[in-house]
Amino acid sequence: MKTDNRQIISPRGDAEGAAYILGIESSCDDTSAAVLKDGFLLSNVTASQAVHEAYGGVVPELASRAHQQNIVPVVDAALKQAGIEREQLSAIAFTRGPGLMGSLLVGVSFAKGLAASLGIPMIDVNHLHGHVLAHFIKEAPPSNSPLKGEDSGQKISPLRGDLEVSPSFPFLCLLVSGGNSQIVLVKSYKEMEIIGQTIDDAAGEAIDKCSKVMGLGYPGGPIIDKLARQGNPDAFTFAKPNIAGYDYSFSGLKTSFLYNLRDWLKDDPDFIEHHKCDLAASLEKTIVDILMKKLRLAARDLKIKQVAVAGGVSANTGLRNAFHDYARRYGWQIFIPRFSYTTDNAAMIAITGYFKYLDKDFCPMSAPAYSRVSEQ
Ligand code: KG4
């Protein structure tokens, strides 16, 4: 049975008729909820799941269970921090996919239940669009904002600062996370064309796997980043892919890292301990070079000067530095997200939802979660 929620939109908000959007994100291992008022962020609360650290990667079953525990307190905290009652909400935006099915189902089911009980529309959001549109998150000016960057004991994203400039269309976005490495041509809030993407591993996945091989913790990205700051990026060379167009490949690099390390360990069993900073710096440099080369090619061919970066790997210091370097060399206007908006967060889901809300682009109650974009 198909239900069209367009019929049940009801005016909510406050006396001024403001639109309050609740965003919910649960695609992987972060449970996050955010509230926007007329497009301005009032709260963004995230509970991260430390349970996966012991396993060297996200365990889907454990992630779903943790989402179940976190979703109610996280949404409550987001509403409280925003200073609104749930009855004031105008719509609920939620990540429908892609991601881990069990994790998504928690957020999707919660969103459906809450929307049904309040009689308000639901807005489905593609998680990857959320990452790209994180560049449009506007925090309310400090005088109007309830955001205090407070920490409730869980790992809450700190929020502070004032308004920033957003890119204008069309722009290019390098979307790099644990599951994706894409060059996206962003034509509008809704029209996004993937012009290049990895044919095997994602950049974040490669970093995480190399970190695991070195016996470092999970996720590897922040650890490699920290070690790389003290290492020589030219100490070692690893294989770089040679594929056509704007596509990426990181599996060859991962294998080259593994095989080289195996040989070096034969001569020196403590090789990793002796060289971990240089290994991290050289690995980071190789990955950043691969990412930037294709991005530069796309920007040059398409004659686009506004270039953004998004996703978990956009927190990487080497990659951020490379963006500044390319801005100087090629006259790019660059857009680098705040750290709190690099990893998965509900603020990006809420802002994407807000744009769809303005278009009355709602989804039916029957909308299922999807783990891959192709299942949408
Ligand atoms: O976007 P994200 O939080 O999750 C999804 O994959 O959806 O990205 C996680 C990825 C992980 O591979 C993690 O190691 C990487 O982002 N990462 C970093 C850094 N912080 C997180 N990679 C490099 N440098 C960092 N500072």
Side-chain angles (χ1 to χ4, degrees):
M1 188 187 70
K2 281 200 172 169
T3 320
D4 188 348
N5 276 347
R6 267 165 261 242
Q7 307 311 317
I8 60 165
I9 181 167
S10 54
R12 298 265 177 162
D14 51 22
E16 295 135 37
Y20 288 98
I21 309 292
L22 171 69
I24 293 177
E25 156 63 31
S26 74
S27 65
C28 190
D29 59 342
D30 290 309
T31 321
S32 188
V35 175
L36 293 186
K37 178 184 180 183
D38 285 338
F40 284 92
L41 188 65
L42 298 181
S43 64
N44 185 33
V45 176
T46 301
S48 302
Q49 302 176 1
V51 63
H52 308 287
E53 281 164 19
Y55 301 92
V58 177
V59 183
E61 173 69 21
L62 296 180
S64 320
R65 291 177 192 215
H67 282 304
Q68 286 272 26
Q69 284 183 319
N70 292 339
I71 190 101
V72 173
V74 164
V75 170
D76 270 348
L79 291 168
K80 191 164 165 242
Q81 205 176 317
I84 65 158
E85 301 296 328
R86 58 175 175 265
E87 287 74 19
Q88 285 175 266
L89 289 172
S90 313
I92 300 177
F94 63 99
T95 304
R96 208 179 127 199
L100 299 173
M101 186 48 86
S103 293
L104 288 164
L105 285 174
V106 177
V108 172
S109 306
F110 183 89
K112 287 181 179 180
L114 189 56
S117 72
L118 295 171
I120 55 175
M122 294 196 311
I123 304 166
D124 61 326
V125 172
N126 175 327
H127 177 81
L128 303 176
H129 287 196
H131 271 304
V132 173
L133 297 181
H135 288 284
F136 295 85
I137 296 170
K138 297 265 185 277
E139 294 174 7
S143 54
N144 293 340
S145 174
L147 301 175
K148 301 281 189 295
E150 64 196 44
D151 192 328
S152 74
Q154 294 171 316
K155 287 184 204 161
I156 304 284
S157 314
L159 284 161
R160 57 184 77 88
D162 34 41
L163 307 185
E164 283 177 1
V165 179
S166 299
S168 47
F169 304 112
F171 66 94
L172 281 182
C173 185
L174 176 68
L175 176 51
V176 268
S177 67
N180 297 278
S181 297
Q182 302 178 339
I183 299 177
V184 186
L185 173 60
V186 190
K187 299 173 186 170
S188 73
Y189 299 121
K190 287 178 163 186
E191 269 181 294
M192 300 191 198
E193 186 186 341
I194 299 166
I195 59 169
Q197 59 187 320
T198 184
I199 57 166
D200 41 56
D201 290 349
E205 202 176 348
I207 297 176
D208 290 340
K209 284 180 182 167
C210 291
S211 158
K212 196 171 179 181
V213 165
M214 285 170 72
L216 306 173
Y218 175 85
I223 303 167
I224 294 286
D225 191 344
K226 202 167 166 206
L227 292 173
R229 306 284 64 78
Q230 301 152 51
N232 173 8
D234 299 313
F236 305 106
T237 13
F238 302 109
K240 283 186 183 169
N242 187 13
I243 50 171
Y246 308 131
D247 282 340
Y248 290 118
S249 165
F250 290 100
S251 68
L253 163 65
K254 186 187 63 186
T255 312
S256 145
F257 189 87
L258 179 70
Y259 286 0
N260 274 308
L261 204 57
R262 203 180 51 186
D263 291 346
W264 294 325
L265 282 168
K266 278 185 203 151
D267 297 333
D268 173 8
D270 295 325
F271 187 87
I272 295 174
E273 195 46 45
H274 293 152
H275 298 281
K276 63 182 175 194
C277 294
D278 287 348
L279 283 166
S282 303
L283 174 68
E284 182 189 273
K285 179 174 187 262
T286 311
I287 290 178
V288 170
D289 284 353
I290 295 170
L291 289 171
M292 295 308 288
K293 190 178 162 198
K294 291 293 176 90
L295 187 61
R296 152 86 181 124
L297 206 62
R300 191 198 62 190
D301 293 352
L302 297 170
K303 298 187 175 44
I304 289 182
K305 294 271 186 194
Q306 294 209 29
V307 189
V309 61
V313 182
S314 69
N316 182 261
T317 312
L319 184 58
R320 287 172 169 246
N321 289 343
F323 260 71
H324 286 287
D325 181 36
Y326 275 56
R328 279 189 295 271
R329 276 159 62 186
Y330 303 115
W332 287 3
Q333 188 183 359
I334 54 169
F335 301 89
I336 298 176
R338 288 184 195 186
F339 286 109
S340 42
Y341 304 138
T342 57
T343 45
D344 294 345
N345 65 86
M348 68 186 198
I349 302 305
I351 191 70
T352 309
Y354 177 66
F355 294 131
K356 293 183 89 172
Y357 177 83
L358 294 178
D359 283 348
K360 294 194 169 43
D361 185 358
F362 306 127
C363 78
M365 271 288 168
S366 54
Y370 55 87
S371 54
R372 292 168 188 277
V373 175
S374 54
E375 295 163 11
Q376 200 175 356

